[in-house]
Amino acid sequence: MRRLRKVKIVATLGPASSDYQTIRALFEAGADVFRLNMSHGTHAEQKARYDIIRQIEADTGRPIGVLADLQGPKLRVGTFASGAAELEEGQPFRFDLDEEPGDGHRVCLPHREIFEALQPGATLLINDGKIAMKVNDCGPDFANCTVTIGGTISNRKGVNVPDVVLPLAALSDKDRADLEFVCDLGADWLALSFVQRAEDVTEARELARGRSAILAKIEKPAALNKFDEILAVSDGIMVARGDLGVELPVYTVPPIQKRLVRKCRAAGKPVIVATQMLESMIESPMPTRAEVSDVAAAIYEGADAVMLSAESAAGRYPIEAVATMDNVAQSVETDPTYREVIEASRKAVRKTVADGIVAAARELAETTDIKAICCYTQSGKTVNLVARERPRVPIIALTPVQSVLRRLCLTWGVHCAYCEPVDRFKMAVVGAARAARAEGFATEADQILVTAGVPFNVQGTTNILRVAPCDERLIFRTDPE
């Protein structure tokens, strides 16, 4: 099954998409990676969804990526005696550690670490920023505030502290249990919520022990301040615009998104743009024009993937939402302006032999009649470097490592194909030609580019670039052993 676009689609599974028929329909509509949201559902429910994904993979013969998204530390207020309270602008309000139900003057905030980090003048945001408060004075077990934006505050609403780096581990006890579960299950990507520093990613990587690639979700101002360090130790990035839009002025999010996407592209690491992309399709079969423009903007920026959350997990029109993303992507990528934007934003990187080979592959593909760039890979790194170049021709990833194929389902422009291990370059070229023909990218009359490394089956050895015919007779006649 060949996609007619380069950008990938991530679809979240949930109550609206938990049976074989629906998940297969989502895949056929265009989903390349499925997200398991560990904030909702039991381990048994998530395992059932995972098993269905792998059954569809076997039935269709196409690799499918699975991204497990950890909940992260959730900060919430306590409960109220009446279930809720009305707060007015200018009134005082107190947070403390007293577990007694709250009222219109105070409530429990059961997170001592927040009080330890707060300073007078800091801002507290409740219920996604619908209520805002300024801290007047505080101590190790209280914070006296003034309401700056009033409204209804109710039981267990979320709390954001945008001005403060909280002394919180990115992994709660629940996250650690979920991490072990999804890694044993076979998740290809592990998404970390509320990352603030590079050490958060390093801790998760140590716990994962190579079983999953690590993707850092950027949703805190603190993560923006440490982004280069976080990117360096992550395998991928998610621009999670929901909490960013709560903790920062909403009008700052688009330039932040653009900046982060470009940095990820330059680093050769996949980046997902997420949150509220087609939000209205939770209830409507048609998106708004603004939502379509939002998806299109991420694609024009060169994001590797765009993501659906509640639209596919709990919405009334999950399949239509995926199909809409697929249609938007095809429309954008056939626009001549798309190539102009992508190529103008390309950043040249020439530090290693592999950098030079993938740059040369892209230049050759754009100046000669090449149908595809075929990459033999053990780890997927060279494929990501080729994708960094955003070539005009398709990228075919060839590897005998199933887990690598599944992880590459998230990478821009990559068509993943399993191959048997090879030990001679001639057979690598033959295998690439066969894959290009079988997958519908080329005919016997066409040429492809092949990248590989000698010695074979060793990571980090990409050192060969070959222009090859797709006619095997010509390969055997002209290629050295």
Side-chain angles (χ1 to χ4, degrees), residues 113-411:
E113 56 272 22
I114 293 182
F115 296 119
E116 292 174 351
L118 282 179
Q119 296 291 332
T123 299
L124 291 173
L125 302 174
I126 316 298
N127 193 16
D128 291 337
K130 294 181 176 67
I131 295 173
M133 304 188 193
K134 183 177 180 180
V135 177
N136 297 321
D137 65 287
C138 51
D141 58 359
F142 76 95
N144 292 323
C145 307
T146 298
V147 177
T148 56
I149 300 176
T152 303
I153 185 170
S154 56
N155 294 341
R156 299 186 179 88
K157 289 300 182 184
V159 180
N160 293 84
V161 193
D163 306 330
V164 177
V165 178
L166 296 174
L168 288 170
L171 297 172
S172 65
D173 290 342
K174 169 179 164 51
D175 293 326
R176 290 171 178 270
D178 287 345
L179 182 151
E180 194 62 30
F181 167 73
V182 296
C183 284
D184 282 346
L185 196 61
D188 308 296
W189 286 91
L190 195 65
L192 305 182
S193 297
F194 302 112
V195 169
Q196 296 187 94
R197 56 188 77 83
E199 290 78 8
D200 296 336
V201 180
T202 303
E203 178 188 3
R205 187 178 299 283
E206 291 172 353
L207 293 171
R209 302 193 304 279
R211 291 172 292 174
S212 295
I214 308 298
L215 185 144
K217 294 170 66 176
I218 306 302
E219 48 194 336
K220 300 282 291 181
L224 296 175
N225 297 331
K226 299 288 186 180
F227 181 73
D228 290 346
E229 294 95 323
I230 292 170
L231 178 60
V233 297
S234 302
D235 299 307
I237 294 291
M238 182 190 296
V239 185
R241 305 175 304 175
D243 276 87
L244 276 180
V246 171
E247 299 207 5
L248 293 168
V250 68
Y251 50 80
T252 66
V253 175
I256 289 170
Q257 173 181 312
K258 187 177 292 290
R259 188 165 68 248
L260 299 189
V261 168
R262 289 204 177 188
K263 286 193 173 188
C264 292
R265 283 183 56 192
K269 295 185 177 182
V271 55
I272 305 170
V273 175
T275 320
Q276 296 178 326
M277 301 214 80
L278 295 174
E279 188 84 352
S280 70
M281 292 193 75
I282 296 173
E283 297 293 338
S284 169
M286 293 294 292
T288 67
R289 287 183 291 276
E291 289 168 340
V292 170
S293 294
D294 181 39
V295 174
I299 297 169
Y300 275 112
E301 288 163 11
D304 288 81
V306 286
M307 192 177 97
L308 295 166
S309 298
E311 301 96 325
S312 58
R316 295 175 61 187
Y317 303 97
I319 297 163
E320 291 85 349
V322 172
T324 295
M325 272 196 163
D326 185 75
N327 289 333
V328 173
Q330 290 188 49
S331 177
V332 168
E333 292 181 9
T334 54
D335 174 18
T337 307
Y338 171 73
R339 288 307 318 178
E340 294 175 10
V341 173
I342 289 295
E343 290 167 13
S345 59
R346 181 186 294 128
K347 185 176 181 180
V349 179
R350 305 289 186 271
K351 295 180 180 179
T352 66
V353 170
D355 289 333
I357 283 177
V358 300
R362 191 260 307 163
E363 291 170 1
L364 273 170
E366 292 178 358
T367 55
T368 58
D369 188 18
I370 297 295
K371 297 302 181 182
I373 300 173
C374 301
C375 307
Y376 271 86
T377 184
Q378 285 294 114
S379 66
K381 184 175 180 180
T382 300
V383 179
N384 283 323
L385 294 181
V386 174
R388 179 186 67 193
E389 295 288 318
R390 298 296 191 260
R392 298 188 180 193
V393 302
I395 305 164
I396 303 176
L398 299 162
T399 180
V401 186
Q402 186 73 24
S403 62
V404 171
L405 286 181
R406 291 168 173 167
R407 292 176 189 178
L408 289 170
C409 289
L410 192 60
T411 299

Side-chain angles (χ1 to χ4, degrees), residues 454-473:
V454 176
F456 278 101
N457 305 316
V458 177
Q459 293 186 17
T461 60
T462 299
N463 51 20
I464 296 177
L465 173 62
R466 165 81 160 92
V467 178
C470 284
D471 186 336
E472 291 181 36
R473 293 166 297 182

Side-chain angles (χ1 to χ4, degrees), residues 57-114:
E57 184 179 69
D59 292 345
T60 59
R62 299 301 314 153
I64 303 173
V66 174
L67 184 153
D69 195 336
L70 302 182
Q71 176 176 287
K74 283 289 187 181
L75 307 177
R76 299 184 184 278
V77 301
T79 59
F80 291 82
S82 301
E86 290 295 324
L87 303 183
E88 296 183 0
E89 182 180 337
Q91 80 167 74
F93 194 83
R94 178 183 175 91
F95 294 97
D96 55 41
L97 293 175
D98 185 349
E99 295 181 0
E100 286 296 312
D103 53 29
H105 304 287
R106 61 153 295 277
V107 75
C108 178
L109 182 58
H111 302 285
R112 185 178 295 275
E113 56 272 22
I114 293 182

Side-chain angles (χ1 to χ4, degrees), residues 16-94:
S17 50
S18 289
D19 60 274
Y20 180 96
Q21 290 76 15
T22 303
I23 297 174
R24 175 148 185 173
L26 291 173
F27 173 71
E28 292 176 347
D32 303 289
V33 176
F34 287 108
R35 171 177 173 251
L36 305 179
N37 185 356
M38 303 308 293
S39 297
H40 305 288
T42 65
H43 283 185
E45 290 170 336
Q46 301 292 19
K47 182 180 186 305
R49 292 170 185 140
Y50 179 88
D51 290 343
I52 290 172
I53 294 167
R54 292 298 174 233
Q55 184 61 55
I56 294 168
E57 184 179 69
D59 292 345
T60 59
R62 299 301 314 153
I64 303 173
V66 174
L67 184 153
D69 195 336
L70 302 182
Q71 176 176 287
K74 283 289 187 181
L75 307 177
R76 299 184 184 278
V77 301
T79 59
F80 291 82
S82 301
E86 290 295 324
L87 303 183
E88 296 183 0
E89 182 180 337
Q91 80 167 74
F93 194 83
R94 178 183 175 91

